[in-house]
Amino acid sequence: MPEMKLPTRAEDFAEWYNQIVLRAELADYAPVRGCMIVRPYGWNLWENITEALDRRFKRTGHVNAAFPMLIPRSFIEKEKSHVAGFSPELAVVTHGGGEELEEPLVIRPTSETIIGHAYAKWIQSYRDLPVLINQWNSVVRWELRTRLFLRTLEFYWQEGHTAHATREEAEAETRQMLDIYTDFAVTEAAIPVIPGRKSASERFAGADETYSIEAMMGDGKALQAGTSHHLGQNFAKAFEICYLDRSGVLQHCWTTSWGLSTRFIGAVIMTHGDDQGLILPPRLAPFQAVITPIFKDDQEKAGVLAAAEKLLAALVDAGLRVKLDAREGVSPGFKFNDWEMRGVPLRIEIGPKDVTKESVVLARRDRLGKEGKQFAPQAGLAATVTKLLEEIQRSLLSRALEFRKSNTVETSDYEEFKSAVEKGFALSWWCGDSGCEEKIKEETKATMRCIPIEQAGGSGKCVYCGRPAGEKSIFARAY
RNA sequence: CGGGGCGUAGCGUAGCCUGGUAGCGCGCUUGGUUCGGGACCAAGAGGUCGGAGGUUCAAAUCCUCUCGCCCCGACCA
């Protein structure tokens, strides 16, 4: 059955990725080019992502709201670099109720403008600040080339929009959210990310400063997994978001915005997946474990299923997300492969022998074959599984970190740089000049991913032009 | 928009060059035997061959137009 096998990552990484998304039933193509249907398994993963993030947002004082999807086109045009950045990819509604609209409406590509409009009405005094609002929604950007999860015309995300009295406070907020994304990626998704600052050319349209978390995918390419923007007073001035300060002087606010999208699912797939399929980090997996019953006849079936049901109840009571795969007419071997492909972190096998011995077999997804298998007593299984899941979570993180390390080169010259970005990250002195950045892109296809917040210190010479550089930057080919 | 590939059953495809009225694998349904790493046997259901027009006695096949999708590039979370 050759069609059951996925292409390997080495053979064709892009095809491997597509096949996983479709076959693991994370998403499907929609009838409109570039749009996707997120299937229940994929949406469940997204729900777990949203819960983990939302918890962090609320803990830091943010509240959720919902702003409209349709935005007057004139709004987009109010902030000059915002227009320039977004107009080529706008979807525009020109008709409604059978009539041509007086003013076309754009389907939000992001909500700075409409939220800016609202903030201008709501904010009067320094006492109204800060405003810390987030919304979970979808946005539309008319991209030319799309890929499931990584870049779709419509994508789901959260966008946080905050307004502050001072530059310092807005900067602190921007950095706080970057830290939250970093913590989320590392803790929940076991994806090591590099938080850093974007170059001017990679900045969000309308931002003074853009920060991002950058992750290395299984093919060595970089993926921007979340962004946090310090918008300065640009939108405050365009939308007249003003407040009266303590001394009675009218001031413009300082605003921020930050977002993380369903693209993150792409990051999970490409960070942890192997040639067998998806590997989901236990903390985000829709099913943390799947119980696979094994039996020959009706008598065995009755005993095994009864024991499996009991285990399921105990595990679910312990707060674990567990599925019992009681499908008829599908062999255990098929189920093993199926759930491995779908990335379930742990498999619990229970057959007649285990029923007798009051044990189960635990098989780790991150270590295939005999090596990842162990017997465990049914008594106290929830505790055993919980511990094992934590261990799998840790091991996925350290494996990903190890992979990134071994594919990152601190380059000392341009030749070394060129070969480094062929298969991973280059960490290099960069003078900060956009001319060098542009040349590097032309010559190597690598872009400046970020200037890591964490710097080892010292100074050196720009990897391209040799002029003095005070910081090292990450360069890589990117998604 | 440029380059490449492709539209035939739910999915993957053969047939197209050299026209003669559609085949295979997977999946699906039913019954039976299986079941500790992708089971097997038997019997079934399922197709206006992307769409429109043309050539012809006859079109999945030849011609024209058209729609759509995927991959690579420019753009981008």
Side-chain angles (χ1 to χ4, degrees), chain A residues 122-159:
Chain A
W122 296 343
I123 297 167
Q124 317 284 331
S125 150
Y126 70 91
R127 291 196 178 90
D128 298 327
L129 297 172
V131 174
L132 308 172
I133 294 180
N134 175 64
Q135 74 171 336
W136 291 95
N137 61 359
S138 72
V139 292
V140 170
R141 298 180 188 178
W142 216 264
E143 302 288 353
L144 300 176
R145 275 207 60 209
T146 57
R147 295 194 63 190
L148 292 167
F149 289 117
L150 296 175
R151 187 171 298 104
T152 45
L153 290 199
E154 180 187 18
F155 60 90
Y156 298 86
W157 73 344
Q158 57 68 217
E159 45 176 331

mmCIF file of all heavy atoms in Angstrom, chain A residues 122-159:
data_model
loop_
_atom_site.group_PDB
_atom_site.id
_atom_site.type_symbol
_atom_site.label_atom_id
_atom_site.label_comp_id
_atom_site.label_asym_id
_atom_site.label_seq_id
_atom_site.Cartn_x
_atom_site.Cartn_y
_atom_site.Cartn_z
ATOM 1 N N TRP A 122 -13.558 56.778 22.718
ATOM 2 C CA TRP A 122 -13.619 56.287 24.106
ATOM 3 C C TRP A 122 -12.610 56.952 25.042
ATOM 4 O O TRP A 122 -12.767 56.947 26.238
ATOM 5 C CB TRP A 122 -13.371 54.770 24.125
ATOM 6 C CG TRP A 122 -14.410 53.971 23.404
ATOM 7 C CD1 TRP A 122 -15.661 54.394 23.044
ATOM 8 C CD2 TRP A 122 -14.295 52.627 22.950
ATOM 9 N NE1 TRP A 122 -16.330 53.392 22.388
ATOM 10 C CE2 TRP A 122 -15.518 52.288 22.314
ATOM 11 C CE3 TRP A 122 -13.297 51.666 23.009
ATOM 12 C CZ2 TRP A 122 -15.756 51.039 21.757
ATOM 13 C CZ3 TRP A 122 -13.534 50.411 22.459
ATOM 14 C CH2 TRP A 122 -14.756 50.105 21.831
ATOM 15 N N ILE A 123 -11.514 57.426 24.467
ATOM 16 C CA ILE A 123 -10.450 57.940 25.315
ATOM 17 C C ILE A 123 -10.507 59.467 25.378
ATOM 18 O O ILE A 123 -10.487 60.147 24.338
ATOM 19 C CB ILE A 123 -9.074 57.469 24.793
ATOM 20 C CG1 ILE A 123 -8.983 55.949 24.856
ATOM 21 C CG2 ILE A 123 -7.946 58.117 25.602
ATOM 22 C CD1 ILE A 123 -7.809 55.367 24.074
ATOM 23 N N GLN A 124 -10.607 60.000 26.602
ATOM 24 C CA GLN A 124 -10.626 61.447 26.790
ATOM 25 C C GLN A 124 -9.505 61.885 27.728
ATOM 26 O O GLN A 124 -8.903 62.929 27.533
ATOM 27 C CB GLN A 124 -11.949 61.892 27.449
ATOM 28 C CG GLN A 124 -13.210 61.239 26.912
ATOM 29 C CD GLN A 124 -13.623 61.811 25.584
ATOM 30 O OE1 GLN A 124 -13.350 62.971 25.302
ATOM 31 N NE2 GLN A 124 -14.254 60.996 24.750
ATOM 32 N N SER A 125 -9.306 61.073 28.745
ATOM 33 C CA SER A 125 -8.439 61.490 29.842
ATOM 34 C C SER A 125 -7.344 60.464 30.093
ATOM 35 O O SER A 125 -7.481 59.305 29.716
ATOM 36 C CB SER A 125 -9.311 61.638 31.097
ATOM 37 O OG SER A 125 -8.570 61.370 32.262
ATOM 38 N N TYR A 126 -6.290 60.909 30.773
ATOM 39 C CA TYR A 126 -5.251 59.952 31.184
ATOM 40 C C TYR A 126 -5.841 58.885 32.086
ATOM 41 O O TYR A 126 -5.316 57.796 32.203
ATOM 42 C CB TYR A 126 -4.083 60.686 31.874
ATOM 43 C CG TYR A 126 -4.416 61.242 33.235
ATOM 44 C CD1 TYR A 126 -4.209 60.477 34.388
ATOM 45 C CD2 TYR A 126 -4.953 62.518 33.375
ATOM 46 C CE1 TYR A 126 -4.533 60.981 35.637
ATOM 47 C CE2 TYR A 126 -5.274 63.030 34.608
ATOM 48 C CZ TYR A 126 -5.072 62.263 35.751
ATOM 49 O OH TYR A 126 -5.397 62.744 36.971
ATOM 50 N N ARG A 127 -6.992 59.213 32.696
ATOM 51 C CA ARG A 127 -7.657 58.238 33.572
ATOM 52 C C ARG A 127 -8.264 57.083 32.770
ATOM 53 O O ARG A 127 -8.557 56.036 33.306
ATOM 54 C CB ARG A 127 -8.780 58.905 34.376
ATOM 55 C CG ARG A 127 -8.273 59.881 35.421
ATOM 56 C CD ARG A 127 -9.367 60.206 36.434
ATOM 57 N NE ARG A 127 -8.862 61.098 37.467
ATOM 58 C CZ ARG A 127 -8.900 62.420 37.379
ATOM 59 N NH1 ARG A 127 -9.431 63.004 36.328
ATOM 60 N NH2 ARG A 127 -8.406 63.159 38.361
ATOM 61 N N ASP A 128 -8.477 57.289 31.471
ATOM 62 C CA ASP A 128 -9.047 56.225 30.618
ATOM 63 C C ASP A 128 -7.969 55.240 30.170
ATOM 64 O O ASP A 128 -8.276 54.227 29.548
ATOM 65 C CB ASP A 128 -9.701 56.825 29.375
ATOM 66 C CG ASP A 128 -10.868 57.740 29.727
ATOM 67 O OD1 ASP A 128 -11.542 57.455 30.731
ATOM 68 O OD2 ASP A 128 -11.081 58.721 28.996
ATOM 69 N N LEU A 129 -6.736 55.559 30.453
ATOM 70 C CA LEU A 129 -5.621 54.748 29.947
ATOM 71 C C LEU A 129 -5.030 53.859 31.028
ATOM 72 O O LEU A 129 -5.127 54.197 32.203
ATOM 73 C CB LEU A 129 -4.536 55.672 29.371
ATOM 74 C CG LEU A 129 -4.999 56.490 28.164
ATOM 75 C CD1 LEU A 129 -3.939 57.515 27.782
ATOM 76 C CD2 LEU A 129 -5.318 55.584 26.979
ATOM 77 N N PRO A 130 -4.402 52.752 30.672
ATOM 78 C CA PRO A 130 -4.331 52.230 29.312
ATOM 79 C C PRO A 130 -5.614 51.513 28.913
ATOM 80 O O PRO A 130 -6.366 51.090 29.763
ATOM 81 C CB PRO A 130 -3.185 51.221 29.398
ATOM 82 C CG PRO A 130 -3.268 50.697 30.798
ATOM 83 C CD PRO A 130 -3.705 51.872 31.644
ATOM 84 N N VAL A 131 -5.830 51.395 27.613
ATOM 85 C CA VAL A 131 -6.900 50.550 27.093
ATOM 86 C C VAL A 131 -6.231 49.287 26.566
ATOM 87 O O VAL A 131 -5.305 49.366 25.752
ATOM 88 C CB VAL A 131 -7.680 51.252 25.961
ATOM 89 C CG1 VAL A 131 -8.681 50.308 25.337
ATOM 90 C CG2 VAL A 131 -8.373 52.498 26.495
ATOM 91 N N LEU A 132 -6.687 48.145 27.059
ATOM 92 C CA LEU A 132 -6.022 46.875 26.716
ATOM 93 C C LEU A 132 -7.044 45.893 26.172
ATOM 94 O O LEU A 132 -7.653 45.136 26.928
ATOM 95 C CB LEU A 132 -5.350 46.289 27.964
ATOM 96 C CG LEU A 132 -4.401 47.202 28.759
ATOM 97 C CD1 LEU A 132 -3.988 46.527 30.068
ATOM 98 C CD2 LEU A 132 -3.170 47.550 27.931
ATOM 99 N N ILE A 133 -7.255 45.923 24.856
ATOM 100 C CA ILE A 133 -8.299 45.083 24.258
ATOM 101 C C ILE A 133 -7.703 44.105 23.240
ATOM 102 O O ILE A 133 -6.789 44.446 22.484
ATOM 103 C CB ILE A 133 -9.394 45.955 23.589
ATOM 104 C CG1 ILE A 133 -10.147 46.749 24.668
ATOM 105 C CG2 ILE A 133 -10.366 45.092 22.781
ATOM 106 C CD1 ILE A 133 -11.243 47.648 24.112
ATOM 107 N N ASN A 134 -8.266 42.928 23.270
ATOM 108 C CA ASN A 134 -7.871 41.899 22.308
ATOM 109 C C ASN A 134 -9.118 41.412 21.597
ATOM 110 O O ASN A 134 -10.214 41.462 22.145
ATOM 111 C CB ASN A 134 -7.210 40.730 23.042
ATOM 112 C CG ASN A 134 -6.886 39.582 22.108
ATOM 113 O OD1 ASN A 134 -6.074 39.722 21.209
ATOM 114 N ND2 ASN A 134 -7.548 38.447 22.297
ATOM 115 N N GLN A 135 -8.961 40.947 20.350
ATOM 116 C CA GLN A 135 -10.095 40.268 19.728
ATOM 117 C C GLN A 135 -9.630 39.040 18.966
ATOM 118 O O GLN A 135 -8.572 39.022 18.348
ATOM 119 C CB GLN A 135 -10.932 41.203 18.857
ATOM 120 C CG GLN A 135 -10.327 41.591 17.530
ATOM 121 C CD GLN A 135 -11.345 42.340 16.651
ATOM 122 O OE1 GLN A 135 -12.554 42.218 16.799
ATOM 123 N NE2 GLN A 135 -10.832 43.124 15.725
ATOM 124 N N TRP A 136 -10.474 38.010 19.053
ATOM 125 C CA TRP A 136 -10.274 36.761 18.303
ATOM 126 C C TRP A 136 -11.172 36.836 17.090
ATOM 127 O O TRP A 136 -12.383 37.017 17.229
ATOM 128 C CB TRP A 136 -10.648 35.549 19.162
ATOM 129 C CG TRP A 136 -9.703 35.325 20.295
ATOM 130 C CD1 TRP A 136 -9.853 35.761 21.585
ATOM 131 C CD2 TRP A 136 -8.450 34.626 20.243
ATOM 132 N NE1 TRP A 136 -8.765 35.377 22.338
ATOM 133 C CE2 TRP A 136 -7.893 34.674 21.542
ATOM 134 C CE3 TRP A 136 -7.741 33.973 19.236
ATOM 135 C CZ2 TRP A 136 -6.669 34.090 21.861
ATOM 136 C CZ3 TRP A 136 -6.527 33.388 19.545
ATOM 137 C CH2 TRP A 136 -6.008 33.454 20.851
ATOM 138 N N ASN A 137 -10.583 36.705 15.916
ATOM 139 C CA ASN A 137 -11.397 36.873 14.716
ATOM 140 C C ASN A 137 -10.668 36.285 13.512
ATOM 141 O O ASN A 137 -9.660 35.590 13.666
ATOM 142 C CB ASN A 137 -11.664 38.363 14.489
ATOM 143 C CG ASN A 137 -10.389 39.160 14.269
ATOM 144 O OD1 ASN A 137 -9.296 38.614 14.301
ATOM 145 N ND2 ASN A 137 -10.518 40.436 14.045
ATOM 146 N N SER A 138 -11.198 36.591 12.345
ATOM 147 C CA SER A 138 -10.446 36.235 11.151
ATOM 148 C C SER A 138 -10.299 37.487 10.307
ATOM 149 O O SER A 138 -11.096 38.420 10.409
ATOM 150 C CB SER A 138 -11.147 35.122 10.366
ATOM 151 O OG SER A 138 -12.297 35.605 9.739
ATOM 152 N N VAL A 139 -9.256 37.515 9.508
ATOM 153 C CA VAL A 139 -8.999 38.657 8.636
ATOM 154 C C VAL A 139 -8.706 38.131 7.232
ATOM 155 O O VAL A 139 -8.425 36.943 7.046
ATOM 156 C CB VAL A 139 -7.813 39.508 9.136
ATOM 157 C CG1 VAL A 139 -8.164 40.206 10.440
ATOM 158 C CG2 VAL A 139 -6.558 38.673 9.301
ATOM 159 N N VAL A 140 -8.775 39.024 6.262
ATOM 160 C CA VAL A 140 -8.578 38.621 4.870
ATOM 161 C C VAL A 140 -7.474 39.455 4.224
ATOM 162 O O VAL A 140 -7.496 40.682 4.301
ATOM 163 C CB VAL A 140 -9.893 38.780 4.061
ATOM 164 C CG1 VAL A 140 -9.633 38.604 2.567
ATOM 165 C CG2 VAL A 140 -10.938 37.779 4.533
ATOM 166 N N ARG A 141 -6.524 38.778 3.666
ATOM 167 C CA ARG A 141 -5.479 39.461 2.888
ATOM 168 C C ARG A 141 -5.342 38.702 1.568
ATOM 169 O O ARG A 141 -5.126 37.493 1.582
ATOM 170 C CB ARG A 141 -4.144 39.458 3.656
ATOM 171 C CG ARG A 141 -4.276 40.209 4.962
ATOM 172 C CD ARG A 141 -2.987 40.240 5.745
ATOM 173 N NE ARG A 141 -3.250 40.820 7.063
ATOM 174 C CZ ARG A 141 -2.339 40.955 8.023
ATOM 175 N NH1 ARG A 141 -1.095 40.559 7.809
ATOM 176 N NH2 ARG A 141 -2.660 41.490 9.173
ATOM 177 N N TRP A 142 -5.463 39.447 0.473
ATOM 178 C CA TRP A 142 -5.492 38.801 -0.842
ATOM 179 C C TRP A 142 -4.084 38.429 -1.292
ATOM 180 O O TRP A 142 -3.498 39.079 -2.139
ATOM 181 C CB TRP A 142 -6.187 39.703 -1.866
ATOM 182 C CG TRP A 142 -6.962 38.882 -2.826
ATOM 183 C CD1 TRP A 142 -6.542 38.464 -4.055
ATOM 184 C CD2 TRP A 142 -8.262 38.349 -2.637
ATOM 185 N NE1 TRP A 142 -7.510 37.699 -4.637
ATOM 186 C CE2 TRP A 142 -8.581 37.604 -3.792
ATOM 187 C CE3 TRP A 142 -9.202 38.397 -1.596
ATOM 188 C CZ2 TRP A 142 -9.797 36.938 -3.942
ATOM 189 C CZ3 TRP A 142 -10.406 37.738 -1.761
ATOM 190 C CH2 TRP A 142 -10.691 37.017 -2.914
ATOM 191 N N GLU A 143 -3.577 37.355 -0.722
ATOM 192 C CA GLU A 143 -2.217 36.912 -1.017
ATOM 193 C C GLU A 143 -2.159 36.257 -2.383
ATOM 194 O O GLU A 143 -3.114 35.629 -2.831
ATOM 195 C CB GLU A 143 -1.756 35.899 0.034
ATOM 196 C CG GLU A 143 -1.776 36.417 1.461
ATOM 197 C CD GLU A 143 -0.690 37.426 1.745
ATOM 198 O OE1 GLU A 143 0.181 37.626 0.859
ATOM 199 O OE2 GLU A 143 -0.713 38.030 2.824
ATOM 200 N N LEU A 144 -1.013 36.380 -3.024
ATOM 201 C CA LEU A 144 -0.874 35.790 -4.349
ATOM 202 C C LEU A 144 -0.626 34.290 -4.248
ATOM 203 O O LEU A 144 -1.178 33.505 -5.006
ATOM 204 C CB LEU A 144 0.272 36.469 -5.097
ATOM 205 C CG LEU A 144 0.061 37.976 -5.290
ATOM 206 C CD1 LEU A 144 1.264 38.602 -5.947
ATOM 207 C CD2 LEU A 144 -1.188 38.232 -6.121
ATOM 208 N N ARG A 145 0.230 33.928 -3.330
ATOM 209 C CA ARG A 145 0.527 32.494 -3.176
ATOM 210 C C ARG A 145 0.138 32.047 -1.798
ATOM 211 O O ARG A 145 0.545 32.627 -0.808
ATOM 212 C CB ARG A 145 2.026 32.244 -3.391
ATOM 213 C CG ARG A 145 2.380 32.075 -4.839
ATOM 214 C CD ARG A 145 3.615 31.207 -4.953
ATOM 215 N NE ARG A 145 3.377 29.910 -4.362
ATOM 216 C CZ ARG A 145 4.339 29.194 -3.820
ATOM 217 N NH1 ARG A 145 5.556 29.654 -3.756
ATOM 218 N NH2 ARG A 145 4.074 28.005 -3.333
ATOM 219 N N THR A 146 -0.628 30.981 -1.749
ATOM 220 C CA THR A 146 -1.152 30.554 -0.459
ATOM 221 C C THR A 146 -0.734 29.128 -0.142
ATOM 222 O O THR A 146 -0.406 28.353 -1.042
ATOM 223 C CB THR A 146 -2.690 30.622 -0.482
ATOM 224 O OG1 THR A 146 -3.154 29.812 -1.566
ATOM 225 C CG2 THR A 146 -3.172 32.044 -0.671
ATOM 226 N N ARG A 147 -0.715 28.816 1.123
ATOM 227 C CA ARG A 147 -0.460 27.447 1.583
ATOM 228 C C ARG A 147 -1.273 27.231 2.846
ATOM 229 O O ARG A 147 -1.361 28.122 3.686
ATOM 230 C CB ARG A 147 1.030 27.248 1.914
ATOM 231 C CG ARG A 147 1.926 27.368 0.705
ATOM 232 C CD ARG A 147 3.308 26.837 1.026
ATOM 233 N NE ARG A 147 3.236 25.419 1.341
ATOM 234 C CZ ARG A 147 4.254 24.724 1.845
ATOM 235 N NH1 ARG A 147 5.387 25.314 2.115
ATOM 236 N NH2 ARG A 147 4.130 23.441 2.076
ATOM 237 N N LEU A 148 -1.827 26.029 2.968
ATOM 238 C CA LEU A 148 -2.672 25.730 4.120
ATOM 239 C C LEU A 148 -1.987 26.146 5.413
ATOM 240 O O LEU A 148 -0.821 25.794 5.641
ATOM 241 C CB LEU A 148 -2.994 24.234 4.148
ATOM 242 C CG LEU A 148 -3.892 23.747 3.002
ATOM 243 C CD1 LEU A 148 -3.888 22.222 2.932
ATOM 244 C CD2 LEU A 148 -5.296 24.268 3.154
ATOM 245 N N PHE A 149 -2.699 26.886 6.232
ATOM 246 C CA PHE A 149 -2.240 27.417 7.516
ATOM 247 C C PHE A 149 -1.142 28.479 7.399
ATOM 248 O O PHE A 149 -1.181 29.492 8.089
ATOM 249 C CB PHE A 149 -1.748 26.320 8.474
ATOM 250 C CG PHE A 149 -2.854 25.469 9.011
ATOM 251 C CD1 PHE A 149 -2.919 24.114 8.733
ATOM 252 C CD2 PHE A 149 -3.868 26.035 9.783
ATOM 253 C CE1 PHE A 149 -3.957 23.333 9.219
ATOM 254 C CE2 PHE A 149 -4.913 25.255 10.277
ATOM 255 C CZ PHE A 149 -4.950 23.901 9.989
ATOM 256 N N LEU A 150 -0.158 28.269 6.533
ATOM 257 C CA LEU A 150 0.976 29.182 6.508
ATOM 258 C C LEU A 150 0.601 30.527 5.903
ATOM 259 O O LEU A 150 1.050 31.575 6.350
ATOM 260 C CB LEU A 150 2.127 28.575 5.709
ATOM 261 C CG LEU A 150 2.691 27.305 6.332
ATOM 262 C CD1 LEU A 150 3.734 26.701 5.419
ATOM 263 C CD2 LEU A 150 3.278 27.621 7.695
ATOM 264 N N ARG A 151 -0.213 30.478 4.879
ATOM 265 C CA ARG A 151 -0.636 31.720 4.248
ATOM 266 C C ARG A 151 -1.912 31.453 3.489
ATOM 267 O O ARG A 151 -1.892 30.914 2.395
ATOM 268 C CB ARG A 151 0.448 32.250 3.306
ATOM 269 C CG ARG A 151 0.136 33.630 2.754
ATOM 270 C CD ARG A 151 1.289 34.247 2.004
ATOM 271 N NE ARG A 151 2.423 34.436 2.884
ATOM 272 C CZ ARG A 151 3.508 33.675 2.900
ATOM 273 N NH1 ARG A 151 3.626 32.689 2.044
ATOM 274 N NH2 ARG A 151 4.470 33.910 3.741
ATOM 275 N N THR A 152 -3.033 31.820 4.080
ATOM 276 C CA THR A 152 -4.326 31.640 3.420
ATOM 277 C C THR A 152 -4.957 33.019 3.258
ATOM 278 O O THR A 152 -4.573 33.962 3.944
ATOM 279 C CB THR A 152 -5.247 30.729 4.260
ATOM 280 O OG1 THR A 152 -5.172 31.129 5.632
ATOM 281 C CG2 THR A 152 -4.820 29.279 4.133
ATOM 282 N N LEU A 153 -5.904 33.131 2.344
ATOM 283 C CA LEU A 153 -6.543 34.438 2.118
ATOM 284 C C LEU A 153 -7.234 34.911 3.386
ATOM 285 O O LEU A 153 -7.114 36.055 3.783
ATOM 286 C CB LEU A 153 -7.579 34.357 0.991
ATOM 287 C CG LEU A 153 -7.086 34.159 -0.428
ATOM 288 C CD1 LEU A 153 -8.181 34.575 -1.399
ATOM 289 C CD2 LEU A 153 -5.832 34.954 -0.707
ATOM 290 N N GLU A 154 -7.969 34.006 3.978
ATOM 291 C CA GLU A 154 -8.579 34.309 5.262
ATOM 292 C C GLU A 154 -7.831 33.508 6.314
ATOM 293 O O GLU A 154 -7.543 32.330 6.089
ATOM 294 C CB GLU A 154 -10.060 33.908 5.284
ATOM 295 C CG GLU A 154 -10.728 34.207 6.616
ATOM 296 C CD GLU A 154 -12.155 33.668 6.724
ATOM 297 O OE1 GLU A 154 -12.518 32.790 5.925
ATOM 298 O OE2 GLU A 154 -12.872 34.129 7.618
ATOM 299 N N PHE A 155 -7.472 34.152 7.405
ATOM 300 C CA PHE A 155 -6.889 33.370 8.487
ATOM 301 C C PHE A 155 -7.426 33.815 9.831
ATOM 302 O O PHE A 155 -7.915 34.926 9.985
ATOM 303 C CB PHE A 155 -5.355 33.394 8.439
ATOM 304 C CG PHE A 155 -4.716 34.758 8.545
ATOM 305 C CD1 PHE A 155 -4.385 35.289 9.787
ATOM 306 C CD2 PHE A 155 -4.426 35.485 7.412
ATOM 307 C CE1 PHE A 155 -3.766 36.539 9.889
ATOM 308 C CE2 PHE A 155 -3.809 36.747 7.508
ATOM 309 C CZ PHE A 155 -3.486 37.268 8.736
ATOM 310 N N TYR A 156 -7.369 32.897 10.779
ATOM 311 C CA TYR A 156 -7.862 33.167 12.125
ATOM 312 C C TYR A 156 -6.686 33.606 12.972
ATOM 313 O O TYR A 156 -5.569 33.115 12.787
ATOM 314 C CB TYR A 156 -8.509 31.901 12.701
ATOM 315 C CG TYR A 156 -9.687 31.501 11.868
ATOM 316 C CD1 TYR A 156 -9.528 30.701 10.741
ATOM 317 C CD2 TYR A 156 -10.958 31.982 12.170
ATOM 318 C CE1 TYR A 156 -10.594 30.393 9.929
ATOM 319 C CE2 TYR A 156 -12.036 31.671 11.365
ATOM 320 C CZ TYR A 156 -11.851 30.873 10.247
ATOM 321 O OH TYR A 156 -12.908 30.582 9.436
ATOM 322 N N TRP A 157 -6.937 34.517 13.880
ATOM 323 C CA TRP A 157 -5.874 34.978 14.758
ATOM 324 C C TRP A 157 -6.471 35.710 15.932
ATOM 325 O O TRP A 157 -7.694 35.789 16.086
ATOM 326 C CB TRP A 157 -4.898 35.869 13.984
ATOM 327 C CG TRP A 157 -5.398 37.261 13.622
ATOM 328 C CD1 TRP A 157 -6.720 37.697 13.645
ATOM 329 C CD2 TRP A 157 -4.608 38.381 13.227
ATOM 330 N NE1 TRP A 157 -6.759 39.014 13.256
ATOM 331 C CE2 TRP A 157 -5.491 39.471 13.002
ATOM 332 C CE3 TRP A 157 -3.255 38.583 13.042
ATOM 333 C CZ2 TRP A 157 -5.044 40.727 12.591
ATOM 334 C CZ3 TRP A 157 -2.822 39.838 12.637
ATOM 335 C CH2 TRP A 157 -3.695 40.890 12.423
ATOM 336 N N GLN A 158 -5.600 36.237 16.755
ATOM 337 C CA GLN A 158 -6.029 37.230 17.725
ATOM 338 C C GLN A 158 -5.237 38.477 17.407
ATOM 339 O O GLN A 158 -4.090 38.399 16.974
ATOM 340 C CB GLN A 158 -5.824 36.765 19.159
ATOM 341 C CG GLN A 158 -4.430 36.364 19.587
ATOM 342 C CD GLN A 158 -3.369 37.434 19.686
ATOM 343 O OE1 GLN A 158 -2.220 37.186 19.356
ATOM 344 N NE2 GLN A 158 -3.771 38.633 20.111
ATOM 345 N N GLU A 159 -5.896 39.632 17.595
ATOM 346 C CA GLU A 159 -5.168 40.881 17.453
ATOM 347 C C GLU A 159 -5.423 41.715 18.693
ATOM 348 O O GLU A 159 -6.556 42.013 19.031
ATOM 349 C CB GLU A 159 -5.533 41.621 16.163
ATOM 350 C CG GLU A 159 -7.009 41.704 15.837
ATOM 351 C CD GLU A 159 -7.273 42.553 14.589
ATOM 352 O OE1 GLU A 159 -6.503 43.465 14.296
ATOM 353 O OE2 GLU A 159 -8.299 42.277 13.916
#
